[in-house]
């Protein structure tokens, strides 16, 4: 695997090093040793999948507050998506910075998120599926969100939003809630 730093402290784009032959390809999806060699301590305890039928669907920006903070490793298994990591750690030198990257079933690329960062994505084609592993178990009381269109972050989504949940559309703006980690709104499916 090839690790590339982003503009968000601790977040990494990870490109596979596939072995291809006449049968297709084989590539590593995660390796404790390779992550440790990059200084990343990531021990996944849960894996989740999402599927979106429409191009332009937006999900996010989601995270879990301490003590249930979670690191994430996100990949697209089918279709194409624009994945975003948003730094919500007030003590971080990259606080409020974001980084977006295109993940697809074809490129096999992944994005690693450290604890204290939110994640969200927009599908770039219909019938897109994603998989992510987390370092903490789902804790409904710790789930929080930041607005996808909050001007304090200025995330540049590639498409107009075709579908979004009411919950994701209605997370408070940073100006209304100066500490999004403290916002007490449960995540609804």
């Amino acid at each position: 695997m090839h690790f590339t730093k982003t503009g968000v402290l601790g977040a990494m784009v990870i490109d596979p090093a596939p072995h291809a032959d006449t049968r297709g390809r084989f590539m590593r999806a995660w390796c404790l040793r390779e992550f440790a060699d990059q200084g990343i301590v990531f021990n996944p305890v849960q894996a989740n999948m999402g599927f979106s039928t429409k191009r332009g669907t937006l999900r996010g920006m989601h995270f879990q507050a301490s003590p249930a903070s979670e690191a994430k490793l996100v990949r697209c298994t089918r279709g194409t998506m624009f994945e975003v990591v948003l730094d919500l750690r007030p003590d971080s030198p990259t606080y409020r910075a974001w980084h977006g990257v295109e993940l697809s079933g074809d490129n096999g690329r992944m994005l690693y998120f450290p604890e204290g960062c939110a994640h969200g994505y927009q599908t770039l084609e219909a019938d897109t599926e994603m998989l992510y592993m987390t370092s903490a178990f789902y804790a409904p009381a710790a789930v929080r969100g930041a607005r996808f269109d909050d001007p304090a972050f200025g995330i540049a989504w590639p498409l107009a939003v075709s579908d979004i949940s009411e919950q994701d559309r209605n997370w408070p703006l940073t100006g209304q809630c100066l500490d999004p980690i403290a916002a007490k709104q449960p995540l609804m499916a």
Side-chain angles (χ1 to χ4, degrees):
M1 290 185 270
H2 305 285
F3 293 77
T4 305
K5 292 180 181 178
T6 71
V8 172
L9 182 66
M12 300 275 243
V13 173
I14 304 161
D15 285 295
H19 170 74
D21 61 23
T22 58
R23 300 168 293 172
R25 71 177 181 190
F26 176 86
M27 60 189 180
R28 188 167 292 144
W30 179 78
C31 177
L32 181 67
R33 182 175 38 229
E34 288 187 57
F35 273 60
D37 288 348
Q38 298 297 317
I40 300 170
V41 177
F42 180 65
N43 297 303
V45 298
Q46 186 172 316
N48 304 299
M49 294 186 78
F51 179 77
S52 298
T53 58
K54 296 179 188 172
R55 179 178 188 262
T57 297
L58 198 141
R59 296 176 187 260
M61 302 296 296
H62 304 150
F63 60 98
Q64 288 191 172
S66 184
S69 295
E70 58 187 355
K72 296 179 182 177
L73 180 63
V74 181
R75 78 175 317 126
C76 181
T77 55
R78 178 173 139 190
T80 308
M81 59 194 253
F82 182 71
E83 179 69 34
V84 172
V85 56
L86 171 63
D87 192 343
L88 293 176
R89 302 166 292 181
D91 295 335
S92 169
T94 58
Y95 178 53
R96 293 189 179 185
W98 65 274
H99 181 83
V101 63
E102 189 173 296
L103 308 179
S104 72
D106 289 338
N107 70 23
R109 181 174 293 139
M110 298 175 280
L111 185 57
Y112 171 77
F113 295 68
E115 290 182 10
C117 291
H119 104 100
Y121 65 96
Q122 184 177 45
T123 58
L124 301 181
E125 60 183 279
D127 299 328
T128 292
E129 182 179 68
M130 58 85 75
L131 167 78
Y132 68 99
M133 297 188 294
T134 64
S135 65
F137 295 106
Y138 175 68
V143 172
R144 306 288 186 272
R147 272 274 286 280
F148 74 99
D149 60 351
D150 192 325
F153 309 129
I155 299 170
W157 298 101
L159 303 174
V161 176
S162 65
D163 200 9
I164 187 170
S165 72
E166 283 303 308
Q167 178 220 343
D168 287 346
R169 183 182 307 283
N170 293 310
W171 289 114
L173 292 170
T174 303
Q176 296 169 336
C177 175
L178 295 177
D179 182 4
I181 293 174
K184 301 259 186 215
Q185 291 182 314
L187 178 65
M188 297 167 24

